[in-house]
Amino acid sequence: MTLPLPHPALTAVDPELAALVGEEELLQAGTLRMIPSENYVSRAVLEASGTVLQNKYSEGYAGRRYYEGQQVIDQVERLAVARAKALFGVEHANVQPYSGSPANLAVYLAFAEPGDTVMGMALPMGGHLTHGWGVSATGKWFRGVQYGVRHDTGLIDFDEVRDLALKERPKLIFCGGTALPRTIDFAAFAEIAREAGAVLVADVAHIAGLIAGGAHPSPVPHADVISTTTHKTLRGPRGAMLMSREEYAKPIDKAVFPGLQGGPHNQTTAGIAVALHEAAQPSFRDYAHAVVANARALADALLERGFDLVSGGTDNHLILIDLTSKDVPGKVAAKALDRAGIVVNYNTVPYDPRKPFDPSGVRIGTPSLTSRGLGMEHMAQVAEWIDRGVAAGRSGDEASLSRIRDEVAALMSKHPAPGLPA
Ligand SMILES: *Cc1c(COP(=O)(O)O)cnc(C)c1O
């Protein structure tokens, strides 16, 4: 099969849109995708999430629906739930949240009242918007208090977290984030949450696949609630899950439906079921460990080239580069790397002196390139491209960027992406 993939019905009905899908396929096939929250889903996941399950309304839960005709859908959702419970070792799983942000909002609805105090990591320190940050509904309708990382180490300061929790007595404490390159100490958070009388929510959106594959410690049994997206390291369709012990099953289910959502996206539930099946295979353990090994090798190669990494390196899939010492703003570097066929995002670094829309860092990760079979032996080359690309971005050397783009495309053509045969 060659790219772009055939989409005969779409091409016949809407050639304009079909052409755009084809362009995106070529882009995803020919570039080095290093945004740590992105990945490639398998062809099986793509097929499952593009089915006639789309056509069905299923408000409620399996066996307790508000619409008839659920003979098949109930089985699909039960399968997804059973697989989530088995994979993560939890008593309860809800697979209906539309995405990570609504999943987190459901947690607020389940355990807090508007105006209550909630606690999470500050967005510029690596937390997520939905952990009580001001511009988010979670920061507008709740009173968000925020912890960070230490200036000197880039690591979470648990004395600060404990002091803040005992002083503020939040209803919810979120741990996890979007730009954290280090292992999350769920046990330490759980102890603080217990002391403060708070519900501990582990938001493992980024690292769910690493946890499933045994490459990051599990929040089970430390966290009261586990929130995760399904489309990052877990390699499923865009969606989310909430997991917990049985004691929290009722409030969580009620918060998702009817509290926050209407009908679940059944085609997504099917895709999640397939992704969970794939994540339960031994090969997925290899994948998760390879993601981390690649990130470590890449971090070492970047350090050798004089890059400053927040916290000095990585334990997981993610690396946060502080470009201050390279004298180039994160946005300039990210846009230059994009022209060089290396897709990253600009990102704040802790205590960033620059503005969030023009910060000092770039955030990179290894989930996608590992899905394409790149290994530790390729990471010196990737670091060299990043180094050259950042330098070329600073000096405005477009010829150098397009040379890198060709080199990247040549390597990528030898490593077909899942879902996108070369
Ligand atoms: C990605 C992410 C989310 C939000 O997921 P969306 O699907 O983009 O709404 C929530 N929390 C964390 C920690 C994330 O990384």
Side-chain angles (χ1 to χ4, degrees):
M1 213 185 297
T2 51
L3 284 164
L5 295 169
H7 301 289
L10 179 59
T11 305
V13 171
D14 189 343
E16 189 180 3
L17 197 279
L20 290 174
V21 173
E23 276 180 47
E24 178 66 19
E25 288 168 354
L26 291 171
L27 202 54
Q28 291 193 16
T31 54
L32 187 58
R33 300 172 65 236
M34 298 196 71
I35 293 173
S37 49
E38 292 183 350
N39 215 322
Y40 295 93
V41 298
S42 68
R43 200 79 211 145
V45 168
L46 274 180
E47 284 180 8
S49 43
T51 55
V52 296
L53 274 66
Q54 174 103 268
N55 298 340
K56 190 72 196 121
Y57 242 107
S58 316
E59 285 183 0
Y61 292 98
R64 306 173 270 146
R65 305 282 190 188
Y66 291 82
Y67 293 77
E68 298 312 315
Q70 310 295 343
Q71 293 83 349
V72 174
I73 299 297
D74 274 4
Q75 296 183 65
V76 171
E77 189 169 320
R78 284 196 173 111
L79 199 54
V81 167
R83 287 175 177 175
K85 285 159 66 171
L87 184 64
F88 289 94
V90 290
E91 293 174 5
H92 180 68
N94 184 314
V95 298
Q96 293 193 5
Y98 298 143
S99 213
S101 303
N104 284 349
L105 204 50
V107 175
Y108 287 80
L109 193 57
F111 299 104
E113 297 291 328
D116 278 350
T117 300
V118 297
M119 187 168 143
M121 181 179 257
L123 181 68
M125 294 281 178
H128 191 260
L129 280 165
T130 57
H131 297 181
W133 190 244
V135 298
S136 152
T138 63
K140 287 180 190 284
W141 298 341
F142 300 88
R143 190 177 151 268
V145 296
Q146 311 262 281
Y147 58 87
V149 295
R150 286 178 58 108
H151 205 160
D152 52 348
T153 59
L155 302 176
I156 291 168
D157 180 341
F158 281 101
D159 293 332
E160 182 204 354
V161 176
R162 172 178 284 104
D163 290 349
L164 193 63
L166 294 181
K167 176 164 159 265
E168 302 287 356
R169 298 277 164 180
K171 282 272 176 64
L172 296 170
I173 297 177
F174 280 86
C175 61
T178 62
L180 306 179
R182 295 296 181 179
T183 302
I184 300 169
D185 188 344
F186 297 115
F189 273 107
E191 196 186 310
I192 292 169
R194 237 185 341 265
E195 274 180 63
V199 171
L200 178 65
V201 188
D203 182 348
V204 299
H206 262 259
I207 54 174
L210 305 184
I211 292 166
H216 186 290
S218 171
V220 182
H222 307 293
D224 299 302
V225 179
I226 299 166
S227 173
T228 185
T229 58
T230 47
H231 49 273
K232 298 179 185 176
T233 49
L234 197 55
R235 294 175 70 177
R238 305 196 83 82
M241 307 193 292
L242 288 170
M243 299 179 280
S244 70
R245 286 190 297 278
E246 196 55 44
E247 69 177 295
Y248 293 127
K250 267 224 172 85
I252 287 173
D253 286 354
K254 271 178 64 185
V256 173
F257 175 86
L260 198 64
Q261 300 188 168
H265 294 179
N266 297 312
Q267 77 283 4
T268 300
T269 306
I272 291 172
V274 175
L276 292 168
H277 176 67
E278 291 175 343
Q281 307 308 312
S283 58
F284 195 88
R285 291 188 82 77
D286 299 341
Y287 168 72
H289 284 94
V291 166
V292 174
N294 281 342
R296 290 219 171 106
L298 180 57
D300 288 344
L302 289 168
L303 288 168
E304 266 175 41
R305 290 178 173 277
F307 282 93
D308 282 337
L309 309 183
V310 171
S311 84
T314 182
D315 299 326
N316 55 28
H317 64 301
L318 182 151
I319 296 167
L320 189 55
I321 306 177
D322 183 345
L323 290 166
T324 307
S325 66
K326 294 281 184 182
D327 198 27
V328 54
K331 200 190 235 177
V332 171
K335 288 189 178 298
L337 289 171
D338 192 48
R339 296 201 291 286
I342 299 170
V343 188
V344 305
N345 67 274
Y346 60 85
N347 212 99
T348 54
V349 298
Y351 304 96
D352 203 322
R354 302 177 63 92
K355 295 268 181 302
F357 197 61
D358 185 18
S360 299
V362 293
R363 188 183 69 148
I364 63 175
T366 52
S368 296
L369 59 80
T370 308
S371 294
R372 300 185 70 154
L374 265 59
M376 287 165 71
E377 69 277 17
H378 296 106
M379 293 305 113
Q381 176 63 78
V382 172
E384 197 256 350
W385 282 331
I386 291 173
D387 197 4
R388 261 163 71 203
V390 168
R394 186 179 45 221
S395 63
D397 181 354
E398 293 302 318
S400 175
L401 294 176
S402 69
R403 263 197 310 279
I404 298 171
R405 192 179 181 94
D406 292 342
E407 291 172 30
V408 167
L411 180 66
M412 292 300 108
S413 71
K414 286 188 237 141
H415 294 271
L420 285 170

